[in-house]
Amino acid sequence: MDRQHVPPLTSLERISNQVIWKGCGYSDDDLARPVIGIANAFSDMVPGHTNLRQLAQQVKNGIYRAGGVPAEFGVIACCDGLAGGHDGNNYVLPSRDNIADSIEIIAGAHRLDGLVLLGSCDKIVPGMLMAAARLDLPCIFAAGGSMLSGPACCGQEKTDTTTVSEALGRMQVGELEEGDVRWISQVSAPTCGSCQFMGTANSMCCLAEAMGMSLPGSALIPAVYNERLRSAFASGEQIVRMVREGLTARRILTRQAIENGIMLMMAVGGSSNTVIHTCALAHELGIPAGEIIACFDRYSEQIPLLAKVNPATHQDDAVDLYLAGGVPEVMRRMTAHLHLDQITVTGKTLGENLKEAPPPQVPGGKLIRTMDDPHSVLGGLAILRGNLAPNTGVSKPAAIRPEVRRFTGKAICFDSEDACMEALEARRVQPGSVVVIRYEGPKGGPGMKELYKPMKTLYGQGLAASTALITDGRFSGTNSGCFVGHISPEAAAGGPIALVEDGDEITIDVMEKTLTLHVGEEELARRRANWVYRPKPVSGYLKRYAAMVTSADEGGVLLSPEERKDERSADI
């Protein structure tokens, strides 16, 4: 939305408008001050969001302290973990665009002066950032904070919200009893907060901070720390200053700011989902997705893995990274590569913020390395291409053991996650297999499932180092093992992944960033001639979503037929 083209209210319109506000309990004095919307994604069903009511009150207190007036409204929040199984998870990625739409609608319809975006988890954070980019209002993102890890168990120093999925796999091979699994389920999520690892939730919060949309050092403050309350209060104060200074989202969310965020994702081993979400954010800013993919590809060769966090290791989690200095400390190690002159929500540049950031609470030398002594010379994420992924696929070298970063195996194909899970439970996947899960992309799902359960089950069954998994669906940032997701074109769009047959040889080479199906072109042409796609029967929002969604390499954004025509014309 172009704020310059929103006509100002006339005096009579303003009087009429204020009557409605007064019906909500506001006064004339309130309405003479900046009215700040608080987009609150509180939910009783999402552990990363159950503390947001308390944080919203702190934000309100900060807004009042700075001379503004808060106006809170609700935003939906789906949890990838809770939505798992059957078709529930299909709604999670589509919820991102619904969130962006709803925030845009409220802020535009009610003519809010600024926004505090209050959330933590996977699709909620990118949806909020997309709305900020559309509206170009003063906006600040305030995270809810990360969860503390559970106790040591089963050879792991810490447990997390996905440890139980690994434990189920171990139970299937006789390593654990049912009682062990039940005990793990009781202790592995001991507090509220976003999941403990560098999954999509914590990755997106870190990305927001690196781009300048959050207060410095705020992304990884644990949900149960008092510092989280103080940060929420400070965010409320700062948004009022931003309104008075005219510091809007698009002044912060520049191409260079996005590049800063991408570089941080390489340094911390961010979730593979940050690729699709960054492309979607760029779309709102008018930046082609292909340019963002190229940035991920380029920086994967320039920025090594500086911070090794779960799932790259079970020793350190998001809280450990916070104590070691968090996002500011990681970025201080890579200042030579960053765009330090980018403005942030503080009104200062990134470089100024990094100079003023406090020192780590604990020594971070082992967790956060330097550029000349990284954990791995490979960046945390990798963009793969090949005859099986002509447009792209995404992998996470940070979470792949060095010995399986090059893997060749025989395909075993499944046309859904459910079919794959049945095969895993029946122990039909053997060492040397490349598990292929397809028709789970944005259009085919529809909704692009997050397929962390098959990978966790393979890990639990002891197959993480002897199998691989590729899909046109998504992965959680918690997954480890050899995997490639986001394969584009997806199977539903006729991508080569639809043509793979059981027994085909596939090579995944994360080092060379290639994904190869060892089948001749003539044979693939024969298979394509016989290929038929039958969409899944869906209704409601998912039916509309399937008709409008673009591929993963384009950000999975929603475009009308007219917009698709315009984009094709622009390409020509």
Side-chain angles (χ1 to χ4, degrees):
M1 179 182 296
D2 187 348
R3 300 294 297 175
Q4 295 178 349
H5 293 89
V6 177
L9 292 172
T10 66
S11 58
L12 290 177
E13 286 175 327
R14 189 171 298 279
I15 292 172
S16 175
N17 184 283
Q18 289 178 350
V19 168
I20 305 301
W21 283 98
K22 289 176 181 177
C24 300
Y26 291 86
S27 68
D28 286 333
D29 180 68
D30 290 329
L31 300 176
R33 302 169 184 271
V35 178
I36 309 298
I38 302 173
N40 185 0
F42 165 82
S43 171
D44 283 326
M45 297 178 286
V46 183
H49 288 204
T50 56
N51 64 329
L52 296 189
R53 275 183 175 165
Q54 184 182 23
L55 295 186
Q57 185 58 54
Q58 287 294 98
V59 171
K60 290 179 181 179
N61 294 344
I63 291 171
Y64 279 126
R65 170 75 67 84
V69 176
E72 183 181 352
F73 60 95
V75 175
I76 64 169
C78 295
C79 176
D80 262 309
L82 193 63
H86 301 296
D87 292 330
N89 212 352
N90 286 18
Y91 280 98
V92 180
L93 181 61
S95 74
R96 180 195 70 183
D97 299 82
N98 182 287
I99 289 164
D101 291 345
S102 64
I103 294 173
E104 175 195 348
I105 288 168
I106 290 294
H110 289 230
R111 296 173 181 261
L112 300 174
D113 296 307
L115 282 171
V116 177
L117 306 167
L118 192 55
S120 275
C121 291
D122 296 14
K123 313 307 165 286
I124 297 90
V125 180
M128 289 179 162
L129 294 175
M130 289 164 66
R134 289 182 196 174
L135 290 161
D136 197 24
L137 286 168
C139 295
I140 188 168
F141 173 73
S146 56
M147 181 186 293
L148 303 187
S149 289
C153 177
C154 310
Q156 294 182 190
E157 295 189 29
K158 298 181 179 183
T159 49
D160 60 59
T161 54
T162 64
T163 304
V164 68
S165 295
E166 297 174 0
L168 286 169
R170 297 180 69 175
M171 186 180 74
Q172 291 165 6
V173 298
E175 291 185 6
L176 295 178
E177 300 293 332
E178 181 178 334
D180 299 321
V181 177
R182 292 188 180 278
W183 182 81
I184 292 169
S185 73
Q186 292 292 329
V187 301
S188 58
T191 71
C192 65
S194 52
C195 295
Q196 302 99 323
F197 37 80
M198 193 53 71
T200 310
N202 286 322
S203 295
M204 287 303 306
C205 293
C206 290
L207 184 71
E209 181 181 330
M211 292 190 298
M213 286 296 293
S214 298
L215 293 179
S218 66
L220 293 173
I221 302 170
V224 294
Y225 279 27
N226 284 331
E227 185 61 28
R228 178 54 69 191
L229 300 175
R230 290 189 282 270
S231 178
F233 186 94
S235 295
E237 288 184 301
Q238 186 58 28
I239 189 62
V240 178
R241 301 187 191 105
M242 291 173 67
V243 170
R244 288 175 172 155
E245 295 168 7
L247 180 53
T248 63
R250 287 202 178 198
R251 287 184 58 193
I252 298 167
L253 289 172
T254 64
R255 165 70 177 266
Q256 289 72 30
I258 291 176
E259 290 187 9
N260 285 338
I262 292 172
M263 284 187 268
L264 180 74
M265 291 299 96
M266 295 300 166
V268 301
S271 169
S272 58
N273 286 322
T274 59
V275 179
I276 192 172
H277 296 321
T278 307
C279 288
L281 175 61
H283 172 79
E284 302 294 346
L285 298 167
I287 303 171
E291 294 183 13
I292 300 302
I293 294 286
C295 286
F296 274 98
D297 199 16
R298 182 171 71 254
Y299 288 124
S300 70
E301 299 178 356
Q302 297 179 13
I303 307 297
L305 183 67
L306 301 182
K308 197 171 185 179
V309 182
N310 184 0
T313 174
H314 284 296
Q315 180 176 343
D316 294 308
D317 58 18
V319 175
D320 293 313
L321 183 56
Y322 163 71
L323 295 173
V327 171
E329 187 63 23
V330 177
M331 297 188 84
R332 277 195 283 232
R333 307 292 176 98
M334 47 195 278
T335 52
H337 295 267
L338 297 171
H339 303 290
L340 296 173
D341 59 348
Q342 289 301 293
I343 197 72
T344 71
V345 292
T346 65
K348 300 176 182 179
T349 66
L350 173 63
E352 290 172 327
N353 288 344
L354 294 181
K355 288 180 181 178
E356 296 174 4
Q361 298 182 39
V362 299
K366 291 183 179 180
L367 199 166
I368 306 175
R369 300 278 191 85
T370 60
M371 290 289 290
D372 57 2
D373 182 31
H375 289 283
S376 170
V377 294
L378 288 177
L381 295 166
I383 305 298
L384 277 64
R385 291 182 173 85
N387 70 338
L388 194 44
N391 289 357
T392 55
V394 182
S395 189
K396 184 173 178 176
I400 302 177
R401 297 180 188 178
E403 63 267 27
V404 289
R405 287 175 180 166
R406 289 190 178 95
F407 187 94
T408 297
K410 301 293 185 180
I412 177 169
C413 302
F414 304 97
D415 290 347
S416 70
E417 180 192 32
D418 291 344
C420 178
M421 289 303 296
E422 289 177 8
L424 287 170
E425 291 169 8
R427 306 295 310 283
R428 297 207 308 268
V429 176
Q430 299 300 317
S433 299
V434 176
V435 176
V436 180
I437 304 178
R438 58 196 175 193
Y439 297 104
E440 293 288 11
K443 183 177 292 294
M448 202 177 184
K449 273 189 178 182
E450 186 164 273
L451 305 178
Y452 74 92
K453 288 186 177 180
M455 286 296 297
K456 286 294 181 180
T457 303
L458 287 169
Y459 183 94
Q461 291 181 354
L463 295 172
S466 59
T467 60
L469 194 155
I470 66 171
T471 181
D472 52 10
R474 299 178 293 116
F475 287 108
S476 166
T478 183
N479 282 128
S480 57
C482 185
F483 63 87
V484 183
H486 302 227
I487 290 176
S488 302
E490 62 177 294
I497 191 173
L499 308 179
V500 181
E501 296 182 356
D502 287 349
D504 286 348
E505 190 173 77
I506 295 172
T507 295
I508 302 165
D509 193 331
V510 178
M511 305 294 290
E512 297 296 327
K513 298 190 285 190
T514 58
L515 180 59
T516 306
L517 174 63
H518 298 287
V519 175
E521 289 299 320
E522 188 174 323
E523 171 61 15
L524 289 177
R526 183 192 67 78
R527 294 180 188 180
R528 183 171 297 283
N530 296 322
W531 174 73
V532 177
Y533 171 56
R534 295 179 177 85
K536 297 174 186 175
V538 291
S539 60
Y541 181 52
L542 288 182
K543 184 175 183 178
R544 298 195 302 274
Y545 184 86
M548 298 176 66
V549 69
T550 62
S551 66
D553 64 298
E554 297 176 286
V557 297
L558 303 184
L559 295 180
S560 67
E562 291 75 18
E563 289 172 313
R564 290 177 185 272
K565 289 178 183 177
D566 291 343
E567 287 208 345
R568 284 197 293 269
S569 298
D571 291 339
I572 295 172

